[in-house]
Amino acid sequence: MCGITGWVSFHSDLTGRRQTLDEMTETMACRGPDDSGTWIAPHAALGHRRLAIIDLPGGRQPMSIRTAGGEIAMVYSGEAYNFSELRAELEKLGHSFTTDSDTEVVLHGYLEWGEAVAEHLNGMYAFAIWDARDEKLVMIRDRMGIKPFYYHPTRDGVLFGSEPKAILANPLARKVVDADGFRELFAFSKTPGWSLWKDMYEVEPGTIVRVDADGIHEHTYWKLDAVEHTDDQETTVARVRELMTDIVHRQLVADVPRCVLLSGGLDSSAITGLAAARLAEQGEQLRTFSVDFLGQEENFRPDEMRDTPDSPYIRDVAKLVGSAHQDIVLDPDALTDPAVRRKVITARDIPAGMGDMDASLLLLFTAIRKESTVALSGESADEVFGGYRWFHDENARNAKNFPWLAYNTGIQERGNMLRPDIREQLAIEDYTADQYRTAVAKVEHLDGASDFERQMRTICNLHLTRMVRALLDRKDRASMAVGLEVRVPFCDHRLVEYVYNTPWSLKTFDGREKSLLRHATKHVLPQSVTDRVKSPYPSTQDPGYAAALQQQAKEVLAERDNPVFNLVDRNWLTTAIDQDPATMPTVMRGGLDRALDLYHWFDIYRPEIQLG
């Protein structure tokens, strides 16, 4: 796992711009604390920061190969979990290797198969290749969008980076945010290609972007296809079990300490059970980590999303698998520390407004990084197997809206902290409706499918092409901000393709959510977790958190000329400050988090706002 960046200019000589390249590369230092490297040619400059995971002495980047037609240079971020098989295949084709790294395998794969190398990879990756033979840049991103990748077209080429901050370090990129940038920020519809920053775009998942003297060209090499599922229930469960076992085994491969993020839910517990069994075969004990809040279990109150605290289930799993477990317990002071908030905003490059859930994730990863370099996560199982509550809520399913927004109206209501004229100008509901229609129109269906199956395939597709990408980006940014590589077994494209095409009746054959996953992994789970109802990522219930937000908001309100009030409604902020923190509505607490994020974001980035 690493950070990459670069610059292509077809009408300039970049060999004299090393300082700018170094500044772009340095922004990725958190992603790659172990090493740094740059490569410069007249029309291309590549920068790399390395987090060493496999072949620690080797695998330095940028990596290049000289050919008769010109040099091929690459910067690569991520992991190819099938690199051993690909290496053997390439050796049979006549390739020789000087390191044991997956980076060299991917580079030789490009030499052999060209851009089609993407179709041979199993993993999470974002990489850029400058091919001097054709004077072109090739940017490739993994199928699910696990690794972030952004680019910014210029007058005569392109800037690119793992994160927007790398691009923004180049003087050709302006820190401008327009109305569309803010619309998506508050809509949470995850518009493909969106980056917040004007004229900057994501390399979309499953996509190859080629840049040459004729311009920028995109090609989709992978998408979700509708394929008839012919396996019966027993065969399907067995196939899911087979895939999950193989995936976890592959993703445990590393030359550094590994662990699993354990929440006590079905998803992370399944990964924990499979990983613990594998490591036990090798004579190793699995390490597990979880996040909790001071007094949460003792004072837990069920709410609309969470029926039970996580801690009892975490203990059951750790006891069953014999993991060396550690709870990271946080208090309101840690969660509301402005320094932590600023680090989250800097990591994500956006004022996301997720408050304690973002802060706790960063603090959890910070603690884990002291013990491990690689962590496996249960992220994305709900999108793959249909686990969220709104999958099973008739009103949410039938709403002409993204189901997570139809079920959780508070997500977009956090925009109520904006000034009324800004809300009217952004017209977020209209924007969301347009995005929903666009997304639904792209879903492929099987001929003869029932209306209900078409509906459920559409909902599954929306989660796998929209929602999951936002959550993957969040996890990557928070983990890489502290140099921790988080792997997501449930995003293996083989599993995604297979489960996506199972009919909804199979996904829920036992009358519950995630039936296939539950039955495929119950052999490594305690009964308590097998029986547990879906519970999302934890959020603190301590009123001290809201009280601390109110105090910080008072201080912001006192800064009458602060640019945040070009967006935030003073009257709304005053009302929120006057609320009783013990009874403050969740949506209002979320609005306070968003207002404080905007305040710090303005201070960190000094953006130019263009809403006209």
Side-chain angles (χ1 to χ4, degrees), residues 220-232:
T220 300
Y221 71 89
W222 183 86
K223 61 181 180 64
L224 288 170
D225 293 322
V227 178
E228 184 178 2
H229 185 81
T230 57
D231 292 344
D232 62 17

Side-chain angles (χ1 to χ4, degrees), residues 4 6 29 40 56 63 110 112 120 138 141 169 192 210 261 306 318 408-409 413 503 577 602 610:
I4 65 174
I40 298 183
L56 306 190
M63 189 175 286
Y110 175 80
E112 179 67 33
H120 293 258
V138 177
R141 192 177 183 196
R210 185 178 71 257
L261 309 178
R306 300 167 182 85
N408 296 314
T409 57
E413 287 177 5
I577 289 171
F602 269 105
Q610 294 181 354

Side-chain angles (χ1 to χ4, degrees), residues 322-364:
S323 68
H325 182 74
Q326 184 175 343
D327 290 311
I328 309 302
V329 181
L330 306 173
D331 60 26
D333 288 342
L335 293 170
T336 58
D337 183 348
V340 173
R341 185 181 295 273
R342 290 173 72 88
K343 189 167 184 178
V344 168
I345 294 167
T346 303
R348 300 193 64 181
D349 292 308
I350 62 173
M354 294 186 70
D356 67 306
M357 290 193 290
D358 268 355
S360 64
L361 193 66
L362 180 71
L363 293 169
L364 169 65

Side-chain angles (χ1 to χ4, degrees), residues 258 275-276 278-286:
R258 300 144 296 174
R278 177 61 169 177
L279 292 186
E281 294 173 0
Q282 302 171 350
E284 295 183 48
Q285 181 184 28
L286 177 68

